[in-house]
Amino acid sequence: MQPQKKLINSVDSCVDEAVCGLVRANGGLSLLKGHRVVLRSDLENLRGKVALLSGGGSGHEPAHGGYVGAGMLSAAVAGGVFASPPPASILAAILSLYNAGASGVLLIVKNYTGDRLNFGLAAEQARNHGVAVDMVIVAEDCAFDRPSKAGRRGLCGTVLIHKLAGALAQEGCSLDQIVSKVTEVLKGIGTLGVSLSPCSVPGCLPSFVLPPGDMELGLGIHGEPGIKRSKVGFADEVVKTMLDHMTNPDSQSHLPLKSGDRVVVCVNNLGALSCLEMAIVARAAVICLENRGVEVARVMSGSFMTSLEMTGVSLTLMKANQETLRLFDAKTSAPAWPNLSSVCVTGRSYITDPPATSTRPQEDTYTEGPLSPVMRQVLQMICSTLLDKQEELNSLDRAAGDGDCGNTHAQAAKVIQEWLQDHVIPGCPGQLLSVLARLVQEKMGGSSGALYSLFLTAAAGHVTETQSNAAAWASAVHAGTQAMRRYGGADPGDRTMLDALCPAVDELMKLTTSQPGGHMAILQAAVQKATLGAEETRNLTAKAGRASYIAAERITLPDPGAVAVAAILRAVVEVLEAQK
């Protein structure tokens, strides 16, 4: 088994380069020379206020360096990957904050033995330097029913403590006041994680083995084992399992939660869950809590305390009152804190009604006109032609596409046939084209449906009941073709339906200047041009559409879209010839 591939320069330098990258990318941060310590670059603004310091092993980014800024941490110290930072760096950070004029320094520490020891040692040393230091231990993990003597682990709830303590410090609260308030809030915070994969420290093998299709509930952020392994379920089931476990009164580490309680929810990506999955989990969490009668006041969803590339998520719940929410909503310049809404999630009207005016023409207001019978005949002929050609078009499409060109055209034909049975043909050609545009858009599918709908929509405005002579129809067809070119991005010669349509349109434009007696000859010539254009596509190299991804020498048949266009035009002209 090989170590996981990672985009780094070297195992030895990865933490220093990551810390440097964070600071170089954010103007509000600076680096303490000789240490892996990220500082606020405006330390002078700490004068007379309590400074906040946190930190821990690297690999949990954006924790903790991403939370340095006005309204959150004053500094963060990083250890090696999943390793507690050394006391010397912690002390250097404390003294930097003290020398900047801070009235005291609060250490916010996750409940891991290494962190407790190293931050504790640095705190004792700082006191010997005359610094007023206090420490808050975050231990909000809800995984274990009977926690060991080491106690509950510190997880993503730590980030919420950064935020609340930071807001209090920004307002000028004393060290004792901040410690007292966040200690109280900590009683109402719980976190539980679930993972679908392990993670691996750079240069090392994965932290544990998880069989495909399994998930681990209650694991730590360093890949420590959880409490239960099971098959991956649906997102809703997984979230319900997590919340049930977190709030189970039989567990010593549960978060007491009852109907009527108000909470902040943090949906935390442990590293490699997609944004799509995160949004699904967030939805499930909100619905599950609301079904229990819990008021969801705020939701933050994203990567807040990760575990390298672990494919998993943790849920943190924080009971909240108005004061807690006020501190939670307070502004911060910390780069990793999300830009959250301060509107309560539960009770918010989150569905917007669509516009009252429908884009669908009022079909019951149509009245027939002189052109209605011939337009019905033309549509019937087009539909029967496309149904007859279904397999031919599919066969042509199999050479260069996915073999469904005939099916999509036949689908459009069937939909139009059904519509013809139940509706009158409006006397206004533009209204008919608009109806057809909607039908193919909704039912034809694929890029063909979009292209035909574009053509019909753009053409519709050029033919009305009073303006439906040959010149108007020619202008309509020209406008439709231009819309196809503009939005589809193809041109004649690219081996698409345009290779049949554009030569025909060039011929049809002669209708704008010709005498009525010559119209039929122009129509027949347009059909010939379309047929020839379709046939010649067998010699073209595809530059647009799906066929453009196929090697040119493999494509020796005509383009099915062009063949379909030629057949449609031929059907139209055959009906018009029969009218003479």
Side-chain angles (χ1 to χ4, degrees):
M1 197 179 209
Q2 294 293 316
Q4 183 87 22
K5 287 182 180 177
K6 296 190 185 292
L7 196 60
I8 60 175
N9 294 310
S10 80
V11 171
D12 294 337
S13 68
C14 65
V15 170
D16 291 303
E17 291 175 359
V19 172
C20 179
L22 171 68
V23 171
R24 291 300 303 268
N26 290 280
L29 306 180
S30 64
L31 195 58
L32 187 61
K33 188 176 181 181
H35 297 279
R36 292 166 172 168
V37 173
V38 177
L39 297 163
R40 282 176 59 173
S41 53
D42 62 341
L43 287 180
E44 66 278 4
N45 289 331
L46 291 176
R47 185 166 299 280
K49 293 180 178 176
V50 173
L52 305 183
L53 173 66
S54 189
S58 295
H60 305 306
E61 292 74 19
H64 294 271
Y67 302 115
V68 175
M72 284 193 78
L73 299 179
S74 312
V77 55
V81 176
F82 293 175
S84 181
S89 289
I90 301 170
L91 178 62
I94 295 171
L95 294 177
S96 295
L97 300 173
Y98 177 66
N99 291 339
S103 60
V105 179
L106 175 62
L107 309 182
I108 301 172
V109 181
K110 299 190 297 299
N111 189 31
Y112 291 98
T113 304
D115 286 357
R116 292 181 69 140
L117 289 172
N118 290 340
F119 275 89
L121 176 55
E124 291 301 322
Q125 292 170 337
R127 289 189 185 105
N128 291 338
H129 284 81
V131 185
V133 181
D134 208 335
M135 189 188 302
V136 168
I137 304 289
V138 181
E140 92 292 10
D141 180 21
C142 292
F144 298 101
D145 294 343
R146 304 285 180 272
S148 66
K149 187 176 181 181
R152 298 161 66 185
R153 298 171 294 197
L155 300 173
C156 193
T158 312
V159 177
L160 301 179
I161 296 301
H162 292 345
K163 183 67 187 65
L164 303 184
L168 290 166
Q170 185 76 5
E171 291 174 3
C173 290
S174 70
L175 189 56
D176 289 345
Q177 287 173 321
I178 297 172
V179 169
S180 174
K181 288 186 177 181
V182 298
T183 300
E184 191 60 33
V185 170
L186 270 168
K187 295 174 185 174
I189 298 184
T191 297
L192 187 68
V194 66
S195 182
L196 315 184
S197 81
C199 60
S200 58
V201 172
C204 299
L205 294 175
S207 52
F208 57 91
V209 177
L210 198 56
D214 280 14
M215 66 179 192
E216 182 112 7
L217 183 71
L219 74 176
I221 53 172
H222 311 98
E224 310 99 308
I227 48 157
K228 187 171 74 173
R229 191 168 283 191
S230 61
K231 291 296 175 188
V232 178
F234 294 115
D236 288 354
E237 296 168 0
V238 173
V239 168
K240 183 178 185 304
T241 299
M242 294 173 77
L243 292 173
D244 285 347
H245 185 86
M246 290 171 72
T247 57
N248 181 1
D250 295 335
S251 169
Q252 288 181 6
S253 59
H254 81 285
L255 175 69
L257 195 66
K258 63 183 185 302
S259 178
D261 284 346
R262 180 195 287 178
V263 296
V264 169
V265 179
C266 177
V267 184
N268 172 54
N269 192 340
L270 287 171
L273 220 57
S274 68
C275 292
L276 180 112
E277 293 162 284
M278 287 293 293
I280 291 168
V281 172
R283 168 192 172 276
V286 170
I287 291 173
C288 192
L289 288 165
E290 288 180 341
N291 286 343
R292 295 177 176 211
V294 175
E295 180 186 336
V296 180
R298 304 284 187 274
V299 177
M300 51 192 290
S301 177
S303 299
F304 305 113
M305 184 176 286
T306 62
S307 187
L308 291 169
E309 79 285 14
M310 187 180 285
T311 309
V313 64
S314 67
L315 293 177
T316 300
L317 303 182
M318 176 176 71
K319 290 186 179 181
N321 56 27
Q322 278 306 116
E323 172 65 2
T324 310
L325 291 179
R326 186 184 70 79
L327 298 171
F328 182 84
D329 292 340
K331 294 294 180 191
T332 175
S333 64
W337 186 258
N339 182 24
L340 293 172
S341 161
S342 57
V343 177
C344 188
V345 173
T346 297
R348 180 175 78 87
S349 175
Y350 64 94
I351 303 290
T352 300
D353 292 327
T357 54
S358 172
T359 56
R360 180 173 298 191
Q362 294 299 307
E363 293 174 3
D364 55 355
T365 63
Y366 292 154
T367 53
E368 290 192 328
L371 290 174
S372 296
V374 69
M375 289 196 294
R376 179 178 288 275
Q377 288 177 32
V378 165
L379 281 178
Q380 287 169 336
M381 177 64 88
I382 289 172
C383 292
S384 59
T385 299
L386 291 177
L387 289 169
D388 289 343
K389 284 191 166 286
Q390 180 173 357
E391 191 42 52
E392 178 191 339
L393 295 175
N394 280 343
S395 179
L396 291 172
D397 196 27
R398 277 192 286 272
D402 51 3
D404 69 346
C405 182
N407 293 351
T408 55
H409 282 78
Q411 177 69 26
K414 289 172 187 171
V415 168
I416 293 169
Q417 283 180 333
E418 289 172 13
W419 184 85
L420 286 171
Q421 290 174 7
D422 304 325
H423 296 83
V424 301
I425 298 286
C428 171
Q431 285 184 326
L432 176 62
L433 295 182
S434 294
V435 169
L436 295 174
R438 174 179 59 78
L439 289 174
V440 297
Q441 177 187 329
E442 291 177 358
K443 304 295 184 182
M444 190 174 185
S447 55
S448 296
L451 285 166
Y452 278 112
S453 188
L454 266 170
F455 177 92
L456 293 162
T457 301
H462 292 264
V463 274
T464 63
E465 202 154 5
T466 56
Q467 186 180 346
S468 58
N469 57 17
W473 277 103
S475 297
V477 174
H478 181 265
T481 305
Q482 290 302 107
M484 277 179 151
R485 293 180 65 173
R486 185 182 317 124
Y487 296 107
D491 291 301
D494 288 347
R495 200 181 190 280
T496 70
M497 63 171 73
L498 289 174
D499 290 304
L501 188 56
C502 288
V505 171
D506 290 343
E507 190 67 27
L508 291 173
M509 287 307 289
K510 294 177 182 177
L511 293 170
T512 58
T513 55
S514 71
Q515 296 301 311
H519 286 176
M520 188 52 66
I522 292 171
L523 292 173
Q524 290 165 341
V527 171
Q528 290 171 351
K529 291 273 185 78
T531 305
L532 182 63
E535 178 60 25
E536 287 181 345
T537 57
R538 68 167 71 236
N539 303 316
L540 293 174
T541 299
K543 296 175 186 167
R546 189 171 281 135
S548 62
Y549 304 112
I550 311 292
E553 59 271 16
R554 289 176 53 194
I555 304 174
T556 57
L557 297 172
D559 177 70
V563 171
V565 165
I568 291 169
L569 289 173
R570 191 178 304 111
V572 173
V573 174
E574 282 178 13
V575 172
L576 296 180
E577 284 175 329
Q579 300 290 311
K580 294 298 181 186

